[in-house]
Amino acid sequence: MHWNGAHQNMQENLRKQKAVFLILLFGIYMFEYTVSCVFVQKRGVSILPDIWIVRNYYAGLLSTAAGIMCTGLCRISCKKKAGQGILIAAAAGYSVLMLLLLANWGIVSFVAISNAALFCLGLYGGAVYAHMSKLLYHTDFMGKVMGSGFLAAIVLQMIFQHGTDNPVLVVSLLIAGFMIVAGLMFVEPWQEEPEPVCDNTAKRRPLSLGRPILIAFLLNFFFIYYNEKMLRSIANRGFEEYDVYDWPRLLMGISALFVGCIGDIRKRKYVPITTLCMMIPALITAILPMGGQYYYLNMSIFYISLGAELAYIHLMFWDTAPRTNRTTLWAGMGRVTISVSEVLLSGLAISEMADTAVVGAELMLIVLILIVMAFNGDLDLAGIREIPGETVPETQTAPRTMEDYRENYGLTPKETEVLQKLITSEDSLQEVADEMAISRRVLQKHITSLYEKTGTKTRIGLLRNYMMFLSEENK
């Protein structure tokens, strides 16, 4: 009993440390992303014509999205050390490029340098999103960490931007923040959780990746009118009359944290319907004037709804990515979809539509989103939610076996044999290798794979993990 109590306390402390670490990582990265984009936009005011400010904004979205995608593709095709080398190069590249932005450049040079810097930022974004998805997938605090990170980033950004307008100081702090993110990425104080392995022998619902992308696209379409209208108004006034980073933006972080807390209840079951309910008030932003006495009301409604949308998209893809065999690629796909869809939809000139037409279009979008969510199983509030790609629970309550353990962790037949030898005997590794007629080096490779898949680090930890698995009820 004493050992169990001490073990539980240790596990609880690790959970808290892990949550704080990931809030810090995500919060600082989102701060870097937001402030970097603002810095590029404000530097562009004195260099670019009004129309180029908008174009460079959209180009920056695509550059960041391309960086996120490249990280996922590199993790697939490159070894881990090669991937780390790419991230180191990205950190160095970002630092140099941000320093170059302090100089006065022509239009083409400024656009090229600023987008290269945002591409480097996207490279790290892909790694951060994958890190968050892998380390939070098996936890019950994914939503709280995501929401807290968003809120922390916004608070930091507000303090930072109201504290200084000195470009040199801004760039210096951005580079320092980027190095902190880089350091946190390489620290890895906790072993990554084992990724669920697709098992064709288990009864599963098919994992459709098209529907989450479509949902993210439609959700972003809902906000595109106000976003484009606001962007053009700000560009035309040189960031002087409107400040989209004023206090109403804080409501976006609070909204994201609220949805995140809801998301930690029953595996994000209530997130879709909560998000839709928080989006509906945003219909009024198409009717209210942009400026004047309605400015703060408009911004507040918009940011509350936007925070809910961003929280839902992040949680949806972080929850989906580990159930694929391309976690790094899919973890950041939500951000990629948001960026790409905003660029694609910008060509529709939605901000020039009549207000009544916009409201009608957004009502139709809500109905369409409801239909897609229903097909995706997001609106099934009765009973246990079946998550695509996960095993559908069976009704029998038979005791768990070694075969259940093998299927749960995706062990190969040889790894299963090694596991049996390790937990049922006190033989040394050399004796186990001799008995299995393999070299000690090959045996060590199987043991390393076992540790990675089960999230353990020692032979004793492996035995405890196995015994805990057998003791759990087969729900």
Side-chain angles (χ1 to χ4, degrees):
M1 293 293 293
H2 176 73
W3 182 88
N4 287 337
H7 180 69
Q8 290 176 357
N9 289 335
M10 182 180 68
Q11 291 295 106
E12 183 62 26
N13 288 334
L14 284 176
R15 278 167 46 87
K16 292 178 181 178
Q17 293 173 20
K18 185 176 185 179
V20 172
F21 172 82
L22 293 175
I23 290 172
L24 186 64
L25 174 63
F26 186 59
I28 294 178
Y29 175 76
M30 291 306 299
F31 165 80
E32 287 288 306
Y33 174 77
T34 302
V35 177
S36 294
C37 292
V38 175
F39 177 77
V40 168
Q41 290 169 6
K42 289 192 174 182
R43 289 293 294 170
V45 169
S46 59
I47 298 173
L48 305 176
D50 291 347
I51 187 63
W52 272 94
I53 295 175
V54 177
R55 290 174 179 173
N56 196 47
Y57 167 77
Y58 289 126
L61 292 178
L62 292 179
S63 297
T64 307
I68 294 173
M69 290 290 292
C70 282
T71 297
L73 295 173
C74 287
R75 287 289 183 94
I76 294 171
S77 57
C78 302
K79 294 182 179 179
K80 184 176 181 180
K81 288 186 178 180
Q84 291 176 343
I86 292 172
L87 293 182
I88 292 173
Y94 175 85
S95 302
V96 172
L97 291 164
M98 291 302 289
L99 289 172
L100 288 176
L101 286 177
L102 292 173
N104 293 321
W105 298 93
I107 294 176
V108 176
S109 298
F110 178 84
V111 170
I113 294 171
S114 61
N115 281 274
L118 294 177
F119 175 79
C120 292
L121 191 62
L123 287 173
Y124 257 95
V128 169
Y129 285 131
H131 221 58
M132 301 297 291
S133 180
K134 290 178 182 178
L135 290 173
L136 290 171
Y137 178 69
H138 291 289
T139 70
D140 57 359
F141 50 80
M142 177 190 284
K144 296 183 186 70
V145 168
M146 179 278 304
S148 298
F150 260 121
L151 183 57
I154 293 171
V155 171
L156 282 173
Q157 169 258 315
M158 291 179 66
I159 294 173
F160 176 71
Q161 287 193 231
H162 286 292
T164 179
D165 288 326
N166 187 321
V168 176
L169 182 59
V170 171
V171 169
S172 300
L173 291 176
L174 281 175
I175 293 174
F178 199 91
M179 294 304 146
I180 293 174
V181 174
L184 292 175
M185 286 297 299
F186 284 102
V187 168
E188 297 186 353
W190 292 274
Q191 187 175 9
E192 290 183 356
E193 299 284 354
E195 296 182 34
V197 180
C198 293
D199 180 10
N200 294 329
T201 63
K203 183 180 178 182
R204 296 175 182 271
R205 286 186 58 199
L207 179 62
S208 173
L209 297 171
R211 286 196 291 265
I213 292 177
L214 179 58
I215 291 172
F217 180 86
L218 293 175
L219 287 173
N220 203 46
F221 197 175
F222 183 85
F223 292 99
I224 198 67
Y225 169 77
Y226 187 85
N227 188 68
E228 184 179 342
K229 186 175 179 180
M230 181 171 58
L231 176 64
R232 294 183 184 278
S233 297
I234 292 170
N236 291 336
R237 291 165 175 78
F239 287 86
E240 294 180 359
E241 183 174 343
Y242 298 135
D243 183 7
V244 295
Y245 303 100
D246 206 346
W247 67 262
R249 187 176 174 83
L250 190 64
L251 297 176
M252 182 172 71
I254 296 173
S255 175
L257 179 58
F258 174 75
V259 174
C261 292
I262 296 295
D264 289 335
I265 301 173
R266 301 188 69 180
K267 294 187 176 181
R268 289 156 286 286
K269 182 176 184 178
Y270 304 114
V271 169
I273 194 66
T274 301
T275 302
L276 282 175
C277 290
M278 295 177 69
M279 283 174 56
I280 291 175
L283 290 169
I284 198 174
T285 60
I287 302 173
L288 293 175
M290 171 63 74
Q293 60 181 333
Y294 296 103
Y295 172 71
Y296 285 112
L297 175 61
N298 222 338
M299 293 286 285
S300 298
I301 296 173
F302 171 72
Y303 276 131
I304 290 173
S305 302
L306 183 62
E309 178 223 8
L310 292 175
Y312 173 45
I313 291 175
H314 279 77
L315 291 177
M316 178 170 57
F317 281 93
W318 287 1
D319 205 30
T320 301
R323 298 196 297 277
T324 71
N325 57 356
R326 296 289 184 267
T327 302
T328 307
L329 182 63
W330 286 102
M333 195 58 68
R335 169 54 63 182
V336 171
T337 304
I338 291 172
S339 299
V340 173
S341 62
E342 188 170 338
V343 174
L344 293 176
L345 294 170
S346 66
L348 300 180
I350 298 175
S351 61
E352 299 176 5
M353 292 174 58
D355 293 344
T356 53
V358 171
V359 173
E362 290 183 342
L363 285 172
M364 292 177 62
L365 270 175
I366 290 177
V367 173
L368 185 56
I369 291 169
L370 278 168
I371 293 172
V372 179
M373 283 183 172
F375 275 103
N376 201 42
D378 291 340
L379 303 181
D380 181 14
L381 302 182
I384 300 175
R385 178 188 174 197
E386 291 183 359
I387 302 177
E390 287 195 343
T391 304
V392 179
E394 300 288 350
T395 56
Q396 75 270 13
T397 58
R400 290 181 167 182
T401 64
M402 174 66 77
E403 180 64 17
D404 294 324
Y405 190 84
R406 183 194 71 77
E407 291 183 358
N408 186 71
Y409 288 106
L411 306 183
T412 65
K414 183 61 73 173
E415 289 169 351
T416 305
E417 183 181 356
V418 171
L419 173 65
Q420 290 175 322
K421 298 290 185 183
L422 293 178
I423 66 177
T424 59
S425 74
E426 297 181 359
D427 294 342
S428 67
L429 295 185
Q430 188 59 58
E431 289 171 335
V432 172
D434 293 341
E435 187 176 348
M436 296 181 63
I438 59 176
S439 68
R440 180 162 177 165
R441 183 178 179 181
V442 172
L443 175 64
Q444 192 62 55
K445 288 180 64 177
H446 290 309
I447 293 174
T448 300
S449 180
L450 277 171
Y451 289 162
E452 289 178 351
K453 289 183 177 180
T454 59
T456 57
K457 296 181 179 179
T458 64
R459 189 170 177 175
I460 294 176
L462 190 62
L463 174 60
R464 287 174 180 163
N465 181 272
Y466 178 69
M467 297 305 295
M468 289 176 64
F469 178 83
L470 294 184
S471 66
E472 293 177 358
E473 293 185 359
N474 190 10
K475 298 180 181 181

